[in-house]
Every structure is written in structure tokens, then in C-alpha cells.
Amino acid sequence: MLERIRSGTYRHEDIDVDAMNALSLEAMKDAPIDVVKAQAAAARTRMLQSWAALPETMPEAAFWIQKAGAEHYGEHLTRLRDWVAELEAARSQ
């Protein structure tokens, strides 16, 4: 998204984040955890490079940077804790 912002092709209304997440999940569902971690690290590095390449931080860019940060993860923390509890319960059965 930061590349789109920099190049002037970004349109917020065209983005379906849930659909993008579903595609990523499908593509990576069988990947070993070490591959997932490596790709996550590479994606973060690329995001930081793209952010640094922007001439200024526009509101659209700030929105996407926030989506990759702790505040956004905090929005999902309750569900993540519930999921961990479900996994632990299933493991103990």
C-alpha cells in the first residue's frame, strides 16, 4: 500500500483487507513456521523501506503503518487469547 501511495495509485475504497488476508492465509497455510517468520521479517523490512521512501508521511501511509503496529495487534488480543485457550484445551483432550 505504501508503494501505491508513493506512486499515486492508492485508493482506500478499493482495498478489501479481509479478502487480502484470506488470500495470504490460503497461500501460506502449509508453510513451515520458519518460512512464515522469514517472510514476515522480509515484509516488515520492505514496509520500512517503502515508508522511508515517501516524501512525507501522509494520513493514508500513517493508517497502514498503524495497521502493522502494536496498537492494531492490541485490537485482536482478546481473540488471540481465546484462540490460544482453544488450542490448549484441544491439546489436553
Side-chain angles (χ1 to χ4, degrees):
M1 295 308 137
L2 297 176
E3 289 293 323
R4 289 182 184 185
I5 291 166
R6 189 171 63 81
S7 68
T9 61
Y10 175 80
R11 301 290 176 264
H12 182 78
E13 61 276 358
D14 294 341
I15 313 283
D16 183 344
V17 174
D18 290 334
M20 289 173 53
N21 288 342
L23 287 172
S24 295
L25 178 61
E26 180 61 27
M28 296 296 297
K29 70 180 180 183
D30 296 324
I33 192 67
D34 59 330
V35 172
V36 173
K37 287 180 179 181
Q39 288 193 356
R44 178 170 172 73
T45 297
R46 186 68 189 117
M47 177 194 69
L48 293 173
Q49 291 170 335
S50 295
W51 188 19
L54 291 172
E56 63 181 294
T57 301
M58 292 86 81
E60 299 87 355
F63 169 81
W64 285 105
I65 294 299
Q66 180 272 332
K67 295 287 277 177
E71 183 178 315
H72 178 73
Y73 293 157
E75 294 173 17
H76 300 286
L77 194 54
T78 300
R79 178 62 189 120
L80 287 170
R81 286 182 174 142
D82 291 345
W83 180 58
V84 168
E86 291 168 14
L87 293 173
E88 288 173 345
R91 186 182 309 170
S92 67
Q93 292 180 358

